[in-house]
Amino acid sequence: MNEKVSILNCHVDLCGVEDALERVLSAINENINFQIVTINPEMIINAQKNKTFFDIVNSADLVIPDGVGVKIALKLKGIKINQIRGIDFSRLLIKTASQKGYKIGLLGAKEEVIQKAKENILKEFPALDIAYIRNGYFSDDNEIIEQIKNADLKILLVGLGSPKQEELIYKLKSELKGTAMIGVGGSFDVFSGIVKEAPLIYRKLGLEWLYRTILQPERFKRIFPLLPIFLIKCIISTVMNKD
Ligand code: UDP
């Protein structure tokens, strides 16, 4: 299945995880740059206000629905999905890079976090060729773009938070040759072990956001008001048959 739907005018791909991976791999094989966005309600709301970000999302090569809010929005349209969690898809890309001998890059998070994440990833995939690693605190995008160009990567994970990571990947798309890039948000914090991944029961019930909010209460102020606004907008747009 390779169907696209739209949530508040942002396109979302409904493909399963195997199809998604196949699309990434065929882009790499054909030397085509490929932008993967894992989209959540916060990003969809942001896209309504930020036209540049809206255009980036809608020009991405693969938009994976992430988070329970997006799942509910699709359910309102009568679409049931098997959610692909962004962090799981990133893990799959790391595993694939290790199996295929692809050079991978890790960009984002604080220096000690990205180094610890690298250590943990290499423990799991000792053969992985991490050809580029850089913390996510920099002021000159061009310098980073130049470094990444020289690293000649097949896969790049970018964890700068949204929309920064999507904007940088979009810029990189016109500079590189055959690199698949994904915005991973706070995934390096999880890979490093500094932030705990939600236990399976929370993940199964779609309550990861609750778990993360308990651990990082400062997220509550940022995320919580958005979810009801997002769902109300989705209901209105579904009732009015707007997308
Ligand atoms: N970050 C970064 N550079 C910045 C701002 C943020 O590397 O200029 C990192 C931050 O350290 C964290 C990630 O980006 O690892 C953002 O995490 P957040 O939890 O906000 O992202 P989410 O998962 O909610 O998209």
Side-chain angles (χ1 to χ4, degrees):
M1 182 171 65
N2 191 0
E3 205 186 313
K4 272 188 204 306
V5 286
S6 151
I7 302 176
L8 303 179
N9 297 313
C10 291
H11 98 242
V12 175
D13 288 282
L14 294 181
C15 59
V17 68
E18 287 85 10
D19 289 334
L21 183 62
E22 208 179 297
R23 284 172 60 184
V24 174
L25 294 180
S26 64
I28 293 175
N29 288 335
E30 287 164 33
N31 272 334
I32 297 168
N33 295 324
F34 195 88
Q35 176 163 17
I36 307 158
V37 172
T38 62
I39 202 148
N40 60 33
E42 193 181 2
M43 290 159 82
I44 294 175
I45 292 288
N46 185 21
Q48 312 301 302
K49 298 176 279 193
N50 176 343
K51 172 83 169 84
T52 311
F53 183 60
F54 177 86
D55 290 341
I56 291 175
V57 169
N58 282 329
S59 74
D61 304 281
L62 182 65
V63 182
I64 297 176
D66 195 10
V68 71
V70 176
K71 195 173 175 176
I72 297 171
L74 290 172
K75 217 167 184 183
L76 288 171
K77 292 174 182 290
I79 300 165
K80 200 165 170 269
I81 54 155
N82 280 328
Q83 209 178 302
I84 311 177
R85 291 164 67 242
I87 190 159
D88 291 339
F89 198 67
S90 298
R91 266 203 197 96
L92 182 61
L93 291 178
I94 293 170
K95 184 176 162 196
T96 308
S98 165
Q99 286 167 344
K100 294 193 176 282
Y102 286 167
K103 279 189 196 172
I104 194 167
L106 313 176
L107 170 66
K110 295 189 182 129
E111 181 60 20
E112 66 274 20
V113 172
I114 195 70
Q115 292 301 338
K116 189 78 189 130
K118 174 188 172 182
E119 204 181 301
N120 288 345
I121 291 169
L122 283 177
K123 259 187 220 152
E124 202 175 335
F125 304 102
L128 186 69
D129 183 0
I130 302 179
Y132 181 76
I133 180 157
R134 174 73 169 84
N135 71 59
Y137 294 86
F138 51 86
S139 51
D140 185 1
D141 279 9
N142 292 331
E143 191 187 321
I144 299 294
I145 291 171
E146 216 39 52
Q147 290 171 0
I148 293 172
K149 255 163 101 172
N150 292 333
D152 193 24
L153 307 168
K154 294 280 187 220
I155 294 175
L156 174 65
L157 311 189
V158 185
L160 305 175
S162 183
K164 232 180 185 174
Q165 58 195 19
E166 284 78 24
E167 286 166 0
L168 183 68
I169 292 175
Y170 183 76
K171 279 193 199 168
L172 281 163
K173 230 179 128 177
S174 54
E175 300 281 346
L176 306 178
K177 209 166 154 244
T179 308
M181 295 166 275
I182 180 167
V184 301
S187 296
F188 293 134
D189 303 64
V190 176
F191 288 137
S192 73
I194 284 163
V195 171
K196 292 247 166 314
E197 195 163 19
L200 192 62
I201 182 76
Y202 282 83
R203 284 187 256 154
K204 283 215 157 134
L205 294 172
L207 292 175
E208 258 179 302
W209 58 273
L210 177 65
Y211 185 79
R212 292 185 75 184
T213 308
I214 295 167
L215 292 190
Q216 299 169 277
E218 67 280 4
R219 291 179 70 89
F220 188 79
K221 261 205 302 224
R222 194 181 100 191
I223 309 262
F224 189 71
L226 272 170
L227 207 58
I229 294 171
F230 170 72
L231 291 175
I232 288 165
K233 278 183 184 273
C234 288
I235 292 168
I236 293 171
S237 113
T238 305
V239 169
M240 296 179 75
N241 227 346
K242 268 169 83 186
D243 64 21

